[in-house]
Amino acid sequence: MSTPAERNGYDVGLHLLDRQVIGADDRLVGKVDDIELFVEEAGGLVPTALLMGLPALLPRFGRRLGGALTRAHRLVREAAADQELPLVADFELVAEVTSEVRLSEPAHGLLHRMAHERAADPRRCRVGSLLGMPVRCADLPRRSKILDLRLVGSPDTSGEHRVVALLVGPGRPGALFGYDRRSEPGPAVVAAVIHWLHRHARIVELGAGVEIDREADEVRIAPGTSLSPLRG
């Protein structure tokens, strides 16, 4: 049976976030609390690292709650200032994406603490900061937002992973439960309800008509940009 990455891509929130990370020696490395993305000059998004630990998880609770929790954690860890930054596992070590994330190297000594210079690099962002970002598009309902990010790439090939599309629409990230994909089976009644609730959600490929403005905290989709229905 083929894995999601070997078929037609896989979704960050559905297939990566909160999954256990297992080393090549079958030992637990940790849990995917967030994912670092490198923002290319042309706007492309390339995953560069799996992020683990509370400094990666807490900001995902939102700007207000997540910010308060992050500040509280920073105060508690004041004696160890370096621990206010997440642990990092290079994305190129991802060997397989199934119900867990398998890495190509043993667990021991694999993680390293993110450097402050890397955390402050404006060319880098986190998936958690994009999920839920408002989407401005005349062809979408008001209060639409980013629900998930779709990746393509071979799990065992370095540098091939790339974000190719955004799942957008009203609702909240994580609420699709994979029922937008034929590859994710489940109870027919549940699938029907989720399809109805997300009937206005769409997939938009990254390109000239899509601008992710992190400073303004919004995504702008130009009129006429192709918006594909979710696959059922």
Side-chain angles (χ1 to χ4, degrees):
M1 186 180 209
S2 60
T3 66
E6 293 169 332
R7 295 194 292 271
N8 59 339
Y10 54 107
D11 298 341
V12 173
L14 177 63
H15 296 114
L16 287 176
L17 286 182
D18 302 317
R19 295 290 175 97
Q20 288 190 333
V21 181
I22 307 297
D25 53 358
D26 291 328
R27 294 181 60 186
L28 178 66
V29 177
K31 178 173 68 72
V32 181
D33 292 310
D34 210 334
I35 296 168
E36 179 190 68
L37 300 171
F38 183 84
V39 183
E40 299 177 322
E41 287 189 13
L45 301 173
V46 178
T48 48
L50 305 177
L51 306 181
M52 305 178 204
L54 285 177
L57 175 63
L58 295 181
R60 286 174 52 198
F61 285 90
R63 179 168 297 178
R64 179 175 297 179
L65 177 59
L69 292 173
T70 300
R71 288 190 295 273
H73 176 260
R74 188 178 296 120
L75 290 173
V76 171
R77 302 301 306 182
E78 188 174 4
D82 63 311
Q83 295 193 23
E84 70 183 43
L85 295 174
L87 294 168
V88 175
D90 293 338
F91 204 91
E92 63 182 17
L93 298 178
V94 174
E96 188 178 22
V97 179
T98 56
S99 59
E100 59 193 15
V101 180
R102 287 259 169 187
L103 303 183
S104 59
E105 293 187 5
H108 180 71
L110 183 145
L111 296 178
H112 58 276
R113 186 72 60 180
M114 178 180 286
H116 286 272
E117 294 79 10
R118 181 170 181 169
D121 188 345
R123 300 170 299 172
R124 300 179 189 272
C125 68
R126 299 185 188 183
V127 165
S129 69
L130 299 182
L131 294 179
M133 181 179 286
V135 175
R136 312 298 179 199
C137 177
D139 299 321
L140 288 173
R142 294 180 59 187
R143 287 186 272 187
S144 291
K145 56 183 70 70
I146 297 180
L147 303 177
D148 213 332
L149 287 74
R150 184 153 294 176
L151 291 170
V152 295
S154 174
D156 56 357
T157 302
S158 175
E160 290 296 320
H161 292 80
R162 175 175 293 273
V163 178
V164 294
L166 305 176
L167 277 66
V168 299
R172 62 178 181 82
L176 291 169
F177 298 105
Y179 285 100
D180 61 302
R181 305 173 66 89
R182 293 189 181 96
S183 60
E184 301 295 332
V189 174
V190 177
V193 170
I194 291 178
H195 275 297
W196 183 83
L197 291 174
H198 292 278
R199 62 194 181 278
H200 298 301
R202 296 290 184 268
I203 300 172
V204 55
E205 294 186 7
L206 291 183
V210 180
E211 181 185 2
I212 301 176
D213 190 336
R214 290 187 288 141
E215 290 188 5
D217 191 35
E218 67 177 21
V219 179
R220 293 186 288 273
I221 301 177
T225 302
S226 176
L227 299 170
S228 304
L230 298 181
R231 298 176 59 184

